[in-house]
Amino acid sequence: MAGAILAIGLTIILIVALTSDGDPFGSKASGPSEVRPPLAQMCPAPTVPPSAGPTAKPQRVPPATGERTTDTEAGISYRKYGAPWVPWDTVWRAGTLEVPYKVGQHFVTEEYSGGSYHASILSAAVPAADNDAVTLNLECVGRQVAADVRAEYYPQPNRLEPLRDEMTTLGGRPAWLSEFRLHFQAPGLTATDELSAVAIIDVGKPTAAVLYVSIPGTHKQFDYVVEDVLKSVRPL
């Protein structure tokens, strides 16, 4: 009886071995998949805050005045403008990073075969760090978002004319600011250039505030809005 049981056991082991590609007891479970937000993967938080430029300590700024656009999710407010500017009323997830612009103002500058072309002041909150992170790699996040803007928001190919690319403070908070003019052409589009700014603002949480401003070259009378709205930013 013992011999029969042993024979049956050995037969079962042999069958399992032959039908499991040489791994009769199964392979080890794979490690957990990457769950960090894309920008947190691309831009790990710095281990030591940079000694140059703004520190994590907020600066005192004058209180905001006049009409404001408030983005509670992003954690910032900024100046609100009259006509032709109107409130932004949709969610726009453009580019590879799919930054979700939900709040802001815009107006249509022209209609062409590709659709409507806009001047815009848009804000969003984008996950940029691990849940327990207290410091954002603002330069890395800023460069990634600005590169995504250039590659995905505008006709290709285009030529970049850099104006500012630096650490600064907006509303007393540390920020990375990229300001540039892009030159491009698209069938049926009158605009051949655009003044743009992308600001990434550390508002003291794992999500960074993004402020994107764009003024087509056909409406250069509104170029002043870029600097004006950046100066008006205040944290909530």
Side-chain angles (χ1 to χ4, degrees):
M1 181 66 72
I5 293 174
L6 178 61
I8 293 171
L10 291 174
T11 302
I12 292 173
I13 291 173
L14 181 60
I15 292 172
V16 171
L18 292 175
T19 57
S20 58
D21 296 326
D23 188 6
F25 302 106
S27 58
K28 295 181 179 179
S30 58
S33 58
E34 179 62 77
V35 295
R36 292 180 301 163
L39 283 171
Q41 296 177 43
M42 291 184 276
C43 302
T47 55
V48 178
S51 58
T55 65
K57 184 178 180 180
Q59 298 179 359
R60 298 182 67 87
V61 293
T65 59
E67 288 194 272
R68 311 284 294 172
T69 296
T70 300
D71 188 335
T72 55
E73 188 173 339
I76 58 172
S77 71
Y78 43 91
R79 181 162 295 167
K80 186 176 183 180
Y81 297 89
W85 297 93
V86 296
W88 181 254
D89 59 359
T90 187
V91 179
W92 182 45
R93 296 178 180 271
T96 302
L97 296 177
E98 296 186 339
V99 176
Y101 297 105
K102 303 176 184 179
V103 178
Q105 290 185 281
H106 76 117
F107 66 90
V108 175
T109 59
E110 62 179 297
E111 300 282 354
Y112 74 116
S113 58
S116 300
Y117 205 77
H118 301 250
S120 57
I121 307 167
L122 304 177
S123 57
V126 59
D130 299 319
N131 289 334
D132 58 351
V134 294
T135 305
L136 301 179
N137 190 335
L138 286 175
E139 179 176 352
C140 178
V141 173
R143 290 187 184 279
Q144 292 288 348
V145 174
D148 194 50
V149 166
R150 180 186 178 186
E152 303 289 347
Y153 297 10
Y154 294 94
Q156 302 295 323
N158 54 55
R159 179 173 62 85
L160 177 71
E161 179 186 342
L163 300 174
R164 294 176 67 184
D165 207 26
E166 61 188 13
M167 283 293 297
T168 184
T169 56
L170 294 177
R173 295 296 307 178
W176 179 266
L177 175 61
S178 293
E179 187 176 336
F180 48 87
R181 188 176 291 278
L182 286 177
H183 301 266
F184 49 80
Q185 289 188 333
L189 184 64
T190 303
T192 57
D193 68 279
E194 183 159 303
L195 178 63
S196 300
V198 178
I200 308 297
I201 308 161
D202 183 347
V203 290
K205 53 185 181 178
T207 55
V210 180
L211 183 61
Y212 165 60
V213 191
S214 64
I215 308 293
T218 52
H219 290 69
K220 283 185 167 64
Q221 67 270 32
F222 294 104
D223 279 1
Y224 78 93
V225 168
V226 173
E227 295 297 332
D228 191 58
V229 76
L230 290 171
K231 290 178 182 177
S232 76
V233 170
R234 295 292 185 274
L236 298 183

